[in-house]
Amino acid sequence: MENVGPNSYTTSELISIELYDLVKEYSIPRDAYRKLVRLMNTTIRDNDKLARESNPQIMHGPQVEKMMQQQTTLSAHSYDVCENGCKLYNLEDEATECQYCSHDRFDSRNSNKPFQTMKIMSIGDIVSGLIANPVTREELRYRHNLDAGHHDDDEQPDDEIDRIFIRDVFDADDYQRIRSTHFTNEHDIGICIQNDGFVIDKRGSRLFAIIHVLILNYSPNLRYKNEYSIQLCILPGKKKPASFSSYLSLILAEIQWLSTHGMVVNTPDNLSIRLRVHCVVAGGDIPGKSIQNW
Ligand SMILES: [Zn+2]
Protein backbone atom coordinates (compact mmCIF):
# COMPACT_ATOMS: atom_id res chain seq x y z
CA MET A 1 0.00 0.00 0.00
CA GLU A 2 2.83 2.41 0.80
CA ASN A 3 3.78 2.65 -2.88
CA VAL A 4 0.45 4.00 -3.97
CA GLY A 5 0.80 7.74 -3.96
CA PRO A 6 -1.33 10.32 -5.71
CA ASN A 7 0.99 10.18 -8.73
CA SER A 8 0.91 6.46 -9.35
CA TYR A 9 -1.62 5.22 -11.83
CA THR A 10 -2.30 1.75 -13.04
CA THR A 11 -1.64 1.00 -16.72
CA SER A 12 -5.33 1.04 -17.53
CA GLU A 13 -5.71 4.39 -15.77
CA LEU A 14 -2.81 5.80 -17.79
CA ILE A 15 -4.33 4.57 -21.05
CA SER A 16 -7.65 6.08 -20.01
CA ILE A 17 -5.98 9.44 -19.43
CA GLU A 18 -4.19 9.25 -22.76
CA LEU A 19 -7.44 8.49 -24.53
CA TYR A 20 -9.15 11.33 -22.66
CA ASP A 21 -6.45 13.76 -23.84
CA LEU A 22 -6.77 12.57 -27.45
CA VAL A 23 -10.52 12.96 -27.36
CA LYS A 24 -10.21 16.51 -26.04
CA GLU A 25 -7.41 17.45 -28.45
CA TYR A 26 -9.35 16.40 -31.53
CA SER A 27 -12.82 17.29 -30.23
CA ILE A 28 -14.04 13.72 -30.76
CA PRO A 29 -17.81 13.59 -30.20
CA ARG A 30 -19.05 12.13 -26.92
CA ASP A 31 -20.78 9.27 -28.68
CA ALA A 32 -17.61 8.24 -30.53
CA TYR A 33 -15.66 8.52 -27.25
CA ARG A 34 -18.08 6.13 -25.55
CA LYS A 35 -17.75 3.63 -28.42
CA LEU A 36 -13.96 3.83 -28.39
CA VAL A 37 -13.90 3.12 -24.65
CA ARG A 38 -16.15 0.13 -25.15
CA LEU A 39 -13.99 -1.18 -27.99
CA MET A 40 -10.79 -0.81 -26.01
CA ASN A 41 -12.35 -2.66 -23.10
CA THR A 42 -13.28 -5.45 -25.50
CA THR A 43 -9.65 -5.93 -26.41
CA ILE A 44 -8.82 -6.33 -22.71
CA ARG A 45 -11.65 -8.79 -22.23
CA ASP A 46 -10.65 -10.80 -25.33
CA ASN A 47 -7.00 -10.82 -24.40
CA ASP A 48 -6.84 -14.63 -24.26
CA LYS A 49 -8.31 -14.92 -27.71
CA LEU A 50 -5.93 -12.32 -29.14
CA ALA A 51 -2.93 -13.96 -27.53
CA ARG A 52 -3.59 -17.05 -29.62
CA GLU A 53 -3.13 -15.13 -32.87
CA SER A 54 0.39 -15.30 -34.25
CA ASN A 55 0.88 -11.53 -34.42
CA PRO A 56 -2.08 -9.72 -32.92
CA GLN A 57 -2.31 -6.04 -33.67
CA ILE A 58 -4.94 -3.44 -34.41
CA MET A 59 -4.52 -2.46 -38.06
CA HIS A 60 -4.42 1.00 -39.57
CA GLY A 61 -7.11 2.14 -41.98
CA PRO A 62 -5.41 1.27 -45.30
CA GLN A 63 -4.58 -2.26 -44.07
CA VAL A 64 -8.18 -2.78 -42.97
CA GLU A 65 -9.44 -1.66 -46.38
CA LYS A 66 -7.07 -4.07 -48.11
CA MET A 67 -8.14 -6.92 -45.84
CA MET A 68 -11.82 -6.27 -46.48
CA GLN A 69 -11.24 -6.28 -50.24
CA GLN A 70 -9.56 -9.68 -49.97
CA GLN A 71 -12.40 -10.92 -47.80
CA THR A 72 -14.95 -10.24 -50.53
CA THR A 73 -13.43 -13.10 -52.50
CA LEU A 74 -14.98 -15.31 -49.82
CA SER A 75 -18.45 -14.34 -51.07
CA ALA A 76 -18.92 -17.92 -52.28
CA HIS A 77 -19.80 -18.71 -48.69
CA SER A 78 -22.93 -16.59 -48.84
CA TYR A 79 -26.17 -18.41 -49.67
CA ASP A 80 -29.75 -17.41 -50.32
CA VAL A 81 -32.18 -18.51 -47.63
CA CYS A 82 -35.95 -18.26 -47.28
CA GLU A 83 -36.83 -15.04 -45.51
CA ASN A 84 -38.73 -17.07 -42.92
CA GLY A 85 -35.72 -19.30 -42.45
CA CYS A 86 -37.42 -22.48 -43.73
CA LYS A 87 -34.56 -23.52 -45.97
CA LEU A 88 -31.29 -22.68 -47.61
CA TYR A 89 -31.00 -22.60 -51.38
CA ASN A 90 -27.84 -24.48 -52.26
CA LEU A 91 -25.91 -23.54 -55.38
CA GLU A 92 -27.82 -26.00 -57.57
CA ASP A 93 -31.22 -24.94 -56.26
CA GLU A 94 -32.94 -22.74 -58.82
CA ALA A 95 -36.34 -22.51 -57.14
CA THR A 96 -37.74 -18.99 -57.03
CA GLU A 97 -39.99 -19.54 -54.03
CA CYS A 98 -39.84 -21.49 -50.80
CA GLN A 99 -41.72 -24.79 -51.06
CA TYR A 100 -42.65 -24.59 -47.37
CA CYS A 101 -44.06 -21.08 -46.94
CA SER A 102 -44.26 -19.89 -50.58
CA HIS A 103 -42.26 -16.77 -49.82
CA ASP A 104 -40.47 -15.41 -52.88
CA ARG A 105 -36.75 -15.95 -53.00
CA PHE A 106 -35.97 -12.80 -55.00
CA ASP A 107 -37.23 -9.26 -54.54
CA SER A 108 -38.61 -8.08 -57.90
CA ARG A 109 -38.81 -4.51 -56.60
CA ASN A 110 -35.15 -4.52 -55.69
CA SER A 111 -33.38 -5.68 -58.89
CA ASN A 112 -34.23 -9.31 -58.09
CA LYS A 113 -31.85 -9.47 -55.18
CA PRO A 114 -32.50 -12.30 -52.75
CA PHE A 115 -34.69 -11.26 -49.82
CA GLN A 116 -32.28 -12.87 -47.41
CA THR A 117 -28.84 -14.40 -47.49
CA MET A 118 -26.67 -15.95 -44.86
CA LYS A 119 -23.01 -16.73 -44.53
CA ILE A 120 -21.65 -20.11 -43.63
CA MET A 121 -18.05 -20.39 -42.53
CA SER A 122 -15.91 -22.93 -44.31
CA ILE A 123 -14.38 -25.54 -42.00
CA GLY A 124 -11.50 -25.88 -44.46
CA ASP A 125 -10.72 -22.16 -44.23
CA ILE A 126 -10.85 -22.23 -40.45
CA VAL A 127 -8.71 -25.33 -40.08
CA SER A 128 -6.10 -24.03 -42.49
CA GLY A 129 -5.88 -20.81 -40.44
CA LEU A 130 -5.39 -22.82 -37.26
CA ILE A 131 -2.71 -25.03 -38.83
CA ALA A 132 -0.89 -22.03 -40.33
CA ASN A 133 -0.56 -20.48 -36.88
CA PRO A 134 2.30 -22.19 -34.96
CA VAL A 135 0.60 -21.68 -31.59
CA THR A 136 -2.68 -23.35 -32.50
CA ARG A 137 -0.87 -25.95 -34.62
CA GLU A 138 0.97 -27.07 -31.49
CA GLU A 139 -2.26 -27.14 -29.49
CA LEU A 140 -3.81 -29.30 -32.19
CA ARG A 141 -1.02 -31.88 -31.83
CA TYR A 142 -2.63 -33.07 -28.61
CA ARG A 143 -4.44 -35.92 -30.41
CA HIS A 144 -1.27 -37.11 -32.09
CA ASN A 145 0.75 -36.90 -28.87
CA LEU A 146 -1.93 -38.82 -27.04
CA ASP A 147 -1.91 -41.55 -29.69
CA ALA A 148 1.87 -41.67 -29.67
CA GLY A 149 1.70 -42.16 -25.91
CA HIS A 150 4.27 -39.53 -25.01
CA HIS A 151 2.07 -36.96 -23.40
CA ASP A 152 3.61 -35.20 -20.44
CA ASP A 153 2.00 -35.39 -17.07
CA ASP A 154 1.32 -31.68 -17.03
CA GLU A 155 -0.79 -32.07 -20.14
CA GLN A 156 -3.07 -34.37 -18.25
CA PRO A 157 -6.32 -32.71 -17.29
CA ASP A 158 -6.69 -32.29 -13.56
CA ASP A 159 -10.37 -32.59 -13.65
CA GLU A 160 -12.21 -35.89 -13.35
CA ILE A 161 -14.80 -34.79 -15.91
CA ASP A 162 -12.07 -34.06 -18.42
CA ARG A 163 -10.69 -37.54 -17.95
CA ILE A 164 -14.09 -38.95 -18.76
CA PHE A 165 -14.27 -36.86 -21.91
CA ILE A 166 -10.97 -38.28 -23.14
CA ARG A 167 -12.38 -41.75 -22.72
CA ASP A 168 -15.38 -40.52 -24.65
CA VAL A 169 -13.61 -39.32 -27.71
CA PHE A 170 -10.19 -40.72 -28.42
CA ASP A 171 -10.40 -43.94 -26.44
CA ALA A 172 -13.85 -44.64 -27.78
CA ASP A 173 -14.26 -47.70 -29.98
CA ASP A 174 -15.43 -45.58 -32.92
CA TYR A 175 -12.22 -43.60 -32.90
CA GLN A 176 -9.97 -46.59 -32.33
CA ARG A 177 -11.65 -48.40 -35.20
CA ILE A 178 -10.90 -45.63 -37.72
CA ARG A 179 -7.62 -44.44 -36.24
CA SER A 180 -5.32 -46.51 -38.43
CA THR A 181 -7.20 -45.68 -41.63
CA HIS A 182 -8.36 -42.10 -41.07
CA PHE A 183 -5.82 -40.57 -38.72
CA THR A 184 -2.60 -41.51 -40.44
CA ASN A 185 -1.12 -38.02 -40.51
CA GLU A 186 -0.13 -36.33 -37.27
CA HIS A 187 -2.11 -33.25 -38.26
CA ASP A 188 -5.34 -35.04 -39.20
CA ILE A 189 -8.22 -33.34 -37.48
CA GLY A 190 -11.19 -34.90 -35.70
CA ILE A 191 -14.21 -32.71 -35.22
CA CYS A 192 -17.58 -32.85 -33.54
CA ILE A 193 -20.40 -31.01 -35.23
CA GLN A 194 -23.49 -30.06 -33.28
CA ASN A 195 -26.33 -27.61 -33.18
CA ASP A 196 -27.18 -25.82 -30.01
CA GLY A 197 -30.88 -26.10 -30.36
CA PHE A 198 -32.35 -22.72 -29.83
CA VAL A 199 -31.00 -19.96 -27.74
CA ILE A 200 -33.91 -19.00 -25.53
CA ASP A 201 -34.21 -15.55 -23.97
CA LYS A 202 -35.41 -14.87 -20.42
CA ARG A 203 -39.04 -14.63 -21.49
CA GLY A 204 -38.82 -17.99 -23.17
CA SER A 205 -38.90 -16.84 -26.77
CA ARG A 206 -36.71 -18.65 -29.18
CA LEU A 207 -34.03 -16.53 -30.74
CA PHE A 208 -31.85 -18.54 -33.06
CA ALA A 209 -29.96 -21.79 -33.45
CA ILE A 210 -26.26 -22.11 -33.97
CA ILE A 211 -24.38 -24.86 -35.76
CA HIS A 212 -20.94 -25.17 -34.32
CA VAL A 213 -17.90 -27.36 -34.40
CA LEU A 214 -15.61 -28.58 -31.66
CA ILE A 215 -12.12 -29.51 -32.71
CA LEU A 216 -11.32 -32.66 -30.81
CA ASN A 217 -7.57 -32.46 -31.44
CA TYR A 218 -7.31 -29.88 -28.69
CA SER A 219 -6.77 -31.19 -25.19
CA PRO A 220 -10.02 -31.62 -23.24
CA ASN A 221 -9.28 -28.64 -21.06
CA LEU A 222 -9.21 -26.40 -24.14
CA ARG A 223 -11.65 -27.88 -26.60
CA TYR A 224 -14.88 -27.13 -24.77
CA LYS A 225 -13.96 -23.54 -24.06
CA ASN A 226 -15.98 -20.91 -25.83
CA GLU A 227 -13.04 -19.34 -27.64
CA TYR A 228 -11.98 -22.73 -29.03
CA SER A 229 -15.35 -23.69 -30.44
CA ILE A 230 -16.27 -22.53 -33.92
CA GLN A 231 -19.60 -21.10 -34.89
CA LEU A 232 -20.24 -22.09 -38.48
CA CYS A 233 -23.53 -20.29 -38.86
CA ILE A 234 -26.50 -18.89 -37.07
CA LEU A 235 -29.72 -20.14 -38.59
CA PRO A 236 -32.15 -17.41 -39.58
CA GLY A 237 -35.73 -17.45 -38.38
CA LYS A 238 -37.24 -17.96 -34.98
CA LYS A 239 -38.38 -21.50 -35.35
CA LYS A 240 -36.69 -24.68 -36.34
CA PRO A 241 -36.23 -24.57 -40.11
CA ALA A 242 -38.68 -26.67 -42.12
CA SER A 243 -35.60 -28.06 -43.82
CA PHE A 244 -32.77 -28.21 -41.32
CA SER A 245 -31.03 -30.61 -43.67
CA SER A 246 -30.76 -27.97 -46.42
CA TYR A 247 -28.43 -26.05 -44.11
CA LEU A 248 -26.65 -29.07 -42.76
CA SER A 249 -26.02 -30.77 -46.09
CA LEU A 250 -23.77 -27.93 -47.25
CA ILE A 251 -21.60 -28.27 -44.18
CA LEU A 252 -21.55 -32.06 -44.37
CA ALA A 253 -20.60 -31.90 -48.05
CA GLU A 254 -17.52 -29.88 -47.18
CA ILE A 255 -16.58 -32.25 -44.36
CA GLN A 256 -17.02 -35.19 -46.74
CA TRP A 257 -14.68 -33.51 -49.21
CA LEU A 258 -12.06 -32.73 -46.55
CA SER A 259 -12.32 -36.25 -45.20
CA THR A 260 -11.84 -37.88 -48.60
CA HIS A 261 -9.46 -35.55 -50.39
CA GLY A 262 -7.86 -33.64 -47.54
CA MET A 263 -6.11 -30.33 -47.91
CA VAL A 264 -2.63 -28.88 -48.04
CA VAL A 265 -1.78 -25.91 -45.86
CA ASN A 266 1.27 -23.83 -46.71
CA THR A 267 2.31 -22.12 -43.51
CA PRO A 268 4.09 -18.76 -43.03
CA ASP A 269 7.00 -20.72 -41.48
CA ASN A 270 7.43 -22.52 -44.81
CA LEU A 271 5.91 -25.89 -44.04
CA SER A 272 3.58 -27.69 -46.35
CA ILE A 273 1.18 -29.64 -44.19
CA ARG A 274 -1.18 -32.25 -45.54
CA LEU A 275 -4.17 -33.24 -43.51
CA ARG A 276 -7.70 -34.54 -43.58
CA VAL A 277 -10.66 -33.56 -41.46
CA HIS A 278 -13.01 -36.22 -40.11
CA CYS A 279 -16.21 -35.84 -38.21
CA VAL A 280 -16.00 -38.25 -35.30
CA VAL A 281 -19.05 -37.21 -33.30
CA ALA A 282 -22.32 -35.48 -34.11
CA GLY A 283 -24.69 -34.01 -31.59
CA GLY A 284 -27.91 -32.10 -31.20
CA ASP A 285 -30.30 -32.70 -34.08
CA ILE A 286 -27.55 -33.90 -36.36
CA PRO A 287 -27.99 -37.57 -37.18
CA GLY A 288 -24.91 -39.66 -36.43
CA LYS A 289 -25.41 -41.73 -39.55
CA SER A 290 -24.94 -38.67 -41.76
CA ILE A 291 -21.28 -38.49 -40.78
CA GLN A 292 -20.39 -42.13 -40.33
CA ASN A 293 -19.33 -42.83 -43.85
CA TRP A 294 -16.45 -45.12 -43.02
ZN1 LIG B 1 -40.07 -20.43 -46.36
Side-chain angles (χ1 to χ4, degrees), residues 2 15 18 26 31 34 40 87 114-115 143 164 176 184 194 204 214 241 250 254 278:
E2 61 272 25
I15 295 173
E18 206 163 317
Y26 292 96
D31 210 29
R34 204 174 301 135
M40 290 179 78
K87 65 170 273 189
F115 274 105
R143 178 197 60 80
I164 293 163
Q176 290 302 331
T184 48
Q194 53 190 185
L214 297 179
L250 264 182
E254 192 196 9
H278 307 292

PDB file of all heavy atoms in Angstrom, residues 2 15 18 26 31 34 40 87 114-115 143 164 176 184 194 204 214 241 250 254 278:
ATOM      1  N   GLU A   2       2.053   1.173   0.628  1.00  0.00           N
ATOM      2  CA  GLU A   2       2.832   2.411   0.799  1.00  0.00           C
ATOM      3  C   GLU A   2       3.311   2.993  -0.532  1.00  0.00           C
ATOM      4  O   GLU A   2       3.670   4.152  -0.610  1.00  0.00           O
ATOM      5  CB  GLU A   2       4.024   2.188   1.761  1.00  0.00           C
ATOM      6  CG  GLU A   2       5.043   1.160   1.319  1.00  0.00           C
ATOM      7  CD  GLU A   2       4.656  -0.243   1.792  1.00  0.00           C
ATOM      8  OE1 GLU A   2       3.468  -0.495   2.017  1.00  0.00           O
ATOM      9  OE2 GLU A   2       5.569  -1.062   1.939  1.00  0.00           O
ATOM     10  N   ILE A  15      -3.765   4.631 -19.701  1.00  0.00           N
ATOM     11  CA  ILE A  15      -4.329   4.570 -21.052  1.00  0.00           C
ATOM     12  C   ILE A  15      -5.616   5.380 -21.116  1.00  0.00           C
ATOM     13  O   ILE A  15      -5.871   6.109 -22.079  1.00  0.00           O
ATOM     14  CB  ILE A  15      -4.577   3.100 -21.479  1.00  0.00           C
ATOM     15  CG1 ILE A  15      -3.233   2.369 -21.593  1.00  0.00           C
ATOM     16  CG2 ILE A  15      -5.322   3.029 -22.797  1.00  0.00           C
ATOM     17  CD1 ILE A  15      -3.351   0.880 -21.837  1.00  0.00           C
ATOM     18  N   GLU A  18      -4.690   8.959 -21.428  1.00  0.00           N
ATOM     19  CA  GLU A  18      -4.192   9.255 -22.765  1.00  0.00           C
ATOM     20  C   GLU A  18      -5.331   9.368 -23.764  1.00  0.00           C
ATOM     21  O   GLU A  18      -5.361  10.265 -24.613  1.00  0.00           O
ATOM     22  CB  GLU A  18      -3.227   8.146 -23.181  1.00  0.00           C
ATOM     23  CG  GLU A  18      -2.213   8.596 -24.196  1.00  0.00           C
ATOM     24  CD  GLU A  18      -1.041   7.622 -24.258  1.00  0.00           C
ATOM     25  OE1 GLU A  18      -0.568   7.182 -23.185  1.00  0.00           O
ATOM     26  OE2 GLU A  18      -0.643   7.293 -25.375  1.00  0.00           O
ATOM     27  N   TYR A  26      -8.750  16.441 -30.195  1.00  0.00           N
ATOM     28  CA  TYR A  26      -9.350  16.402 -31.532  1.00  0.00           C
ATOM     29  C   TYR A  26     -10.862  16.613 -31.512  1.00  0.00           C
ATOM     30  O   TYR A  26     -11.544  16.356 -32.495  1.00  0.00           O
ATOM     31  CB  TYR A  26      -9.001  15.077 -32.222  1.00  0.00           C
ATOM     32  CG  TYR A  26      -7.527  14.976 -32.551  1.00  0.00           C
ATOM     33  CD1 TYR A  26      -6.650  14.323 -31.694  1.00  0.00           C
ATOM     34  CD2 TYR A  26      -7.012  15.579 -33.702  1.00  0.00           C
ATOM     35  CE1 TYR A  26      -5.289  14.261 -31.978  1.00  0.00           C
ATOM     36  CE2 TYR A  26      -5.654  15.525 -33.986  1.00  0.00           C
ATOM     37  CZ  TYR A  26      -4.801  14.863 -33.122  1.00  0.00           C
ATOM     38  OH  TYR A  26      -3.459  14.800 -33.404  1.00  0.00           O
ATOM     39  N   ASP A  31     -20.288  10.578 -28.282  1.00  0.00           N
ATOM     40  CA  ASP A  31     -20.779   9.265 -28.681  1.00  0.00           C
ATOM     41  C   ASP A  31     -19.639   8.379 -29.180  1.00  0.00           C
ATOM     42  O   ASP A  31     -19.547   7.194 -28.843  1.00  0.00           O
ATOM     43  CB  ASP A  31     -21.816   9.468 -29.798  1.00  0.00           C
ATOM     44  CG  ASP A  31     -22.856   8.381 -29.765  1.00  0.00           C
ATOM     45  OD1 ASP A  31     -23.114   7.857 -28.652  1.00  0.00           O
ATOM     46  OD2 ASP A  31     -23.379   8.043 -30.837  1.00  0.00           O
ATOM     47  N   ARG A  34     -17.479   7.249 -26.283  1.00  0.00           N
ATOM     48  CA  ARG A  34     -18.076   6.135 -25.550  1.00  0.00           C
ATOM     49  C   ARG A  34     -17.808   4.816 -26.292  1.00  0.00           C
ATOM     50  O   ARG A  34     -17.455   3.809 -25.710  1.00  0.00           O
ATOM     51  CB  ARG A  34     -19.585   6.381 -25.416  1.00  0.00           C
ATOM     52  CG  ARG A  34     -20.213   5.657 -24.254  1.00  0.00           C
ATOM     53  CD  ARG A  34     -21.670   6.048 -24.073  1.00  0.00           C
ATOM     54  NE  ARG A  34     -21.852   7.483 -23.847  1.00  0.00           N
ATOM     55  CZ  ARG A  34     -22.772   8.246 -24.440  1.00  0.00           C
ATOM     56  NH1 ARG A  34     -23.597   7.721 -25.322  1.00  0.00           N
ATOM     57  NH2 ARG A  34     -22.870   9.531 -24.171  1.00  0.00           N
ATOM     58  N   MET A  40     -12.061  -0.545 -26.674  1.00  0.00           N
ATOM     59  CA  MET A  40     -10.787  -0.814 -26.011  1.00  0.00           C
ATOM     60  C   MET A  40     -10.962  -1.799 -24.860  1.00  0.00           C
ATOM     61  O   MET A  40     -10.097  -2.641 -24.612  1.00  0.00           O
ATOM     62  CB  MET A  40     -10.146   0.489 -25.545  1.00  0.00           C
ATOM     63  CG  MET A  40      -9.667   1.320 -26.740  1.00  0.00           C
ATOM     64  SD  MET A  40      -8.922   2.897 -26.280  1.00  0.00           S
ATOM     65  CE  MET A  40      -7.301   2.381 -25.753  1.00  0.00           C
ATOM     66  N   LYS A  87     -35.563 -22.713 -45.265  1.00  0.00           N
ATOM     67  CA  LYS A  87     -34.564 -23.525 -45.973  1.00  0.00           C
ATOM     68  C   LYS A  87     -33.445 -22.661 -46.536  1.00  0.00           C
ATOM     69  O   LYS A  87     -33.576 -21.431 -46.629  1.00  0.00           O
ATOM     70  CB  LYS A  87     -35.231 -24.270 -47.134  1.00  0.00           C
ATOM     71  CG  LYS A  87     -35.771 -23.338 -48.217  1.00  0.00           C
ATOM     72  CD  LYS A  87     -36.195 -24.092 -49.465  1.00  0.00           C
ATOM     73  CE  LYS A  87     -35.048 -24.304 -50.408  1.00  0.00           C
ATOM     74  NZ  LYS A  87     -35.444 -24.828 -51.714  1.00  0.00           N
ATOM     75  N   PRO A 114     -31.840 -11.405 -53.706  1.00  0.00           N
ATOM     76  CA  PRO A 114     -32.502 -12.303 -52.751  1.00  0.00           C
ATOM     77  C   PRO A 114     -32.997 -11.529 -51.529  1.00  0.00           C
ATOM     78  O   PRO A 114     -32.339 -10.575 -51.091  1.00  0.00           O
ATOM     79  CB  PRO A 114     -31.401 -13.286 -52.357  1.00  0.00           C
ATOM     80  CG  PRO A 114     -30.127 -12.670 -52.800  1.00  0.00           C
ATOM     81  CD  PRO A 114     -30.437 -11.761 -53.932  1.00  0.00           C
ATOM     82  N   PHE A 115     -34.163 -11.922 -51.013  1.00  0.00           N
ATOM     83  CA  PHE A 115     -34.691 -11.256 -49.818  1.00  0.00           C
ATOM     84  C   PHE A 115     -33.735 -11.444 -48.644  1.00  0.00           C
ATOM     85  O   PHE A 115     -33.545 -10.557 -47.841  1.00  0.00           O
ATOM     86  CB  PHE A 115     -36.058 -11.840 -49.452  1.00  0.00           C
ATOM     87  CG  PHE A 115     -37.185 -11.193 -50.190  1.00  0.00           C
ATOM     88  CD1 PHE A 115     -37.804 -11.851 -51.244  1.00  0.00           C
ATOM     89  CD2 PHE A 115     -37.634  -9.930 -49.831  1.00  0.00           C
ATOM     90  CE1 PHE A 115     -38.853 -11.250 -51.929  1.00  0.00           C
ATOM     91  CE2 PHE A 115     -38.684  -9.329 -50.511  1.00  0.00           C
ATOM     92  CZ  PHE A 115     -39.297  -9.985 -51.569  1.00  0.00           C
ATOM     93  N   ARG A 143      -3.925 -34.596 -30.011  1.00  0.00           N
ATOM     94  CA  ARG A 143      -4.440 -35.920 -30.408  1.00  0.00           C
ATOM     95  C   ARG A 143      -3.288 -36.848 -30.788  1.00  0.00           C
ATOM     96  O   ARG A 143      -3.199 -37.989 -30.341  1.00  0.00           O
ATOM     97  CB  ARG A 143      -5.418 -35.814 -31.582  1.00  0.00           C
ATOM     98  CG  ARG A 143      -5.928 -37.173 -32.046  1.00  0.00           C
ATOM     99  CD  ARG A 143      -6.553 -37.131 -33.426  1.00  0.00           C
ATOM    100  NE  ARG A 143      -5.629 -36.676 -34.453  1.00  0.00           N
ATOM    101  CZ  ARG A 143      -4.701 -37.440 -35.029  1.00  0.00           C
ATOM    102  NH1 ARG A 143      -4.561 -38.696 -34.680  1.00  0.00           N
ATOM    103  NH2 ARG A 143      -3.894 -36.943 -35.949  1.00  0.00           N
ATOM    104  N   ILE A 164     -12.989 -38.182 -18.181  1.00  0.00           N
ATOM    105  CA  ILE A 164     -14.089 -38.946 -18.758  1.00  0.00           C
ATOM    106  C   ILE A 164     -14.276 -38.574 -20.231  1.00  0.00           C
ATOM    107  O   ILE A 164     -14.490 -39.429 -21.077  1.00  0.00           O
ATOM    108  CB  ILE A 164     -15.394 -38.697 -17.961  1.00  0.00           C
ATOM    109  CG1 ILE A 164     -15.240 -39.292 -16.571  1.00  0.00           C
ATOM    110  CG2 ILE A 164     -16.590 -39.310 -18.679  1.00  0.00           C
ATOM    111  CD1 ILE A 164     -16.234 -38.786 -15.570  1.00  0.00           C
ATOM    112  N   GLN A 176     -11.025 -45.584 -32.204  1.00  0.00           N
ATOM    113  CA  GLN A 176      -9.968 -46.594 -32.329  1.00  0.00           C
ATOM    114  C   GLN A 176     -10.123 -47.409 -33.615  1.00  0.00           C
ATOM    115  O   GLN A 176      -9.154 -47.788 -34.237  1.00  0.00           O
ATOM    116  CB  GLN A 176      -9.968 -47.521 -31.105  1.00  0.00           C
ATOM    117  CG  GLN A 176      -9.498 -46.827 -29.827  1.00  0.00           C
ATOM    118  CD  GLN A 176      -8.094 -46.228 -29.940  1.00  0.00           C
ATOM    119  OE1 GLN A 176      -7.259 -46.721 -30.688  1.00  0.00           O
ATOM    120  NE2 GLN A 176      -7.834 -45.139 -29.222  1.00  0.00           N
ATOM    121  N   THR A 184      -3.942 -41.037 -40.146  1.00  0.00           N
ATOM    122  CA  THR A 184      -2.600 -41.509 -40.440  1.00  0.00           C
ATOM    123  C   THR A 184      -1.569 -40.395 -40.349  1.00  0.00           C
ATOM    124  O   THR A 184      -0.398 -40.623 -40.131  1.00  0.00           O
ATOM    125  CB  THR A 184      -2.547 -42.112 -41.851  1.00  0.00           C
ATOM    126  OG1 THR A 184      -3.179 -41.184 -42.742  1.00  0.00           O
ATOM    127  CG2 THR A 184      -3.304 -43.429 -41.905  1.00  0.00           C
ATOM    128  N   GLN A 194     -22.226 -29.999 -34.017  1.00  0.00           N
ATOM    129  CA  GLN A 194     -23.488 -30.058 -33.285  1.00  0.00           C
ATOM    130  C   GLN A 194     -24.264 -28.757 -33.445  1.00  0.00           C
ATOM    131  O   GLN A 194     -23.701 -27.719 -33.781  1.00  0.00           O
ATOM    132  CB  GLN A 194     -23.264 -30.378 -31.808  1.00  0.00           C
ATOM    133  CG  GLN A 194     -22.289 -29.468 -31.133  1.00  0.00           C
ATOM    134  CD  GLN A 194     -21.915 -29.967 -29.743  1.00  0.00           C
ATOM    135  OE1 GLN A 194     -21.213 -29.306 -29.021  1.00  0.00           O
ATOM    136  NE2 GLN A 194     -22.379 -31.144 -29.349  1.00  0.00           N
ATOM    137  N   GLY A 204     -38.484 -16.697 -22.575  1.00  0.00           N
ATOM    138  CA  GLY A 204     -38.824 -17.989 -23.168  1.00  0.00           C
ATOM    139  C   GLY A 204     -39.028 -17.948 -24.662  1.00  0.00           C
ATOM    140  O   GLY A 204     -39.443 -18.948 -25.255  1.00  0.00           O
ATOM    141  N   LEU A 214     -16.692 -28.462 -32.640  1.00  0.00           N
ATOM    142  CA  LEU A 214     -15.613 -28.577 -31.663  1.00  0.00           C
ATOM    143  C   LEU A 214     -14.466 -29.313 -32.345  1.00  0.00           C
ATOM    144  O   LEU A 214     -14.699 -30.298 -33.048  1.00  0.00           O
ATOM    145  CB  LEU A 214     -16.054 -29.397 -30.450  1.00  0.00           C
ATOM    146  CG  LEU A 214     -17.186 -28.855 -29.585  1.00  0.00           C
ATOM    147  CD1 LEU A 214     -17.478 -29.832 -28.451  1.00  0.00           C
ATOM    148  CD2 LEU A 214     -16.818 -27.485 -29.019  1.00  0.00           C
ATOM    149  N   PRO A 241     -35.978 -24.624 -38.676  1.00  0.00           N
ATOM    150  CA  PRO A 241     -36.234 -24.566 -40.112  1.00  0.00           C
ATOM    151  C   PRO A 241     -37.025 -25.777 -40.587  1.00  0.00           C
ATOM    152  O   PRO A 241     -36.819 -26.888 -40.093  1.00  0.00           O
ATOM    153  CB  PRO A 241     -34.838 -24.589 -40.726  1.00  0.00           C
ATOM    154  CG  PRO A 241     -33.883 -24.364 -39.635  1.00  0.00           C
ATOM    155  CD  PRO A 241     -34.558 -24.666 -38.347  1.00  0.00           C
ATOM    156  N   LEU A 250     -24.905 -28.706 -46.726  1.00  0.00           N
ATOM    157  CA  LEU A 250     -23.770 -27.933 -47.246  1.00  0.00           C
ATOM    158  C   LEU A 250     -22.520 -28.166 -46.414  1.00  0.00           C
ATOM    159  O   LEU A 250     -21.423 -28.361 -46.933  1.00  0.00           O
ATOM    160  CB  LEU A 250     -24.093 -26.446 -47.130  1.00  0.00           C
ATOM    161  CG  LEU A 250     -24.661 -25.745 -48.327  1.00  0.00           C
ATOM    162  CD1 LEU A 250     -24.848 -24.292 -47.969  1.00  0.00           C
ATOM    163  CD2 LEU A 250     -23.705 -25.862 -49.494  1.00  0.00           C
ATOM    164  N   GLU A 254     -18.913 -30.336 -47.294  1.00  0.00           N
ATOM    165  CA  GLU A 254     -17.524 -29.880 -47.181  1.00  0.00           C
ATOM    166  C   GLU A 254     -16.700 -30.842 -46.326  1.00  0.00           C
ATOM    167  O   GLU A 254     -15.556 -31.166 -46.665  1.00  0.00           O
ATOM    168  CB  GLU A 254     -17.450 -28.459 -46.607  1.00  0.00           C
ATOM    169  CG  GLU A 254     -16.036 -27.891 -46.761  1.00  0.00           C
ATOM    170  CD  GLU A 254     -15.742 -26.665 -45.913  1.00  0.00           C
ATOM    171  OE1 GLU A 254     -16.563 -26.311 -45.047  1.00  0.00           O
ATOM    172  OE2 GLU A 254     -14.668 -26.074 -46.121  1.00  0.00           O
ATOM    173  N   HIS A 278     -11.959 -35.216 -40.249  1.00  0.00           N
ATOM    174  CA  HIS A 278     -13.013 -36.224 -40.111  1.00  0.00           C
ATOM    175  C   HIS A 278     -13.965 -35.853 -38.991  1.00  0.00           C
ATOM    176  O   HIS A 278     -13.531 -35.428 -37.923  1.00  0.00           O
ATOM    177  CB  HIS A 278     -12.405 -37.595 -39.788  1.00  0.00           C
ATOM    178  CG  HIS A 278     -11.350 -38.012 -40.747  1.00  0.00           C
ATOM    179  ND1 HIS A 278     -11.621 -38.324 -42.058  1.00  0.00           N
ATOM    180  CD2 HIS A 278     -10.015 -38.135 -40.588  1.00  0.00           C
ATOM    181  CE1 HIS A 278     -10.490 -38.644 -42.663  1.00  0.00           C
ATOM    182  NE2 HIS A 278      -9.508 -38.533 -41.796  1.00  0.00           N
TER     183      HIS A 278
END
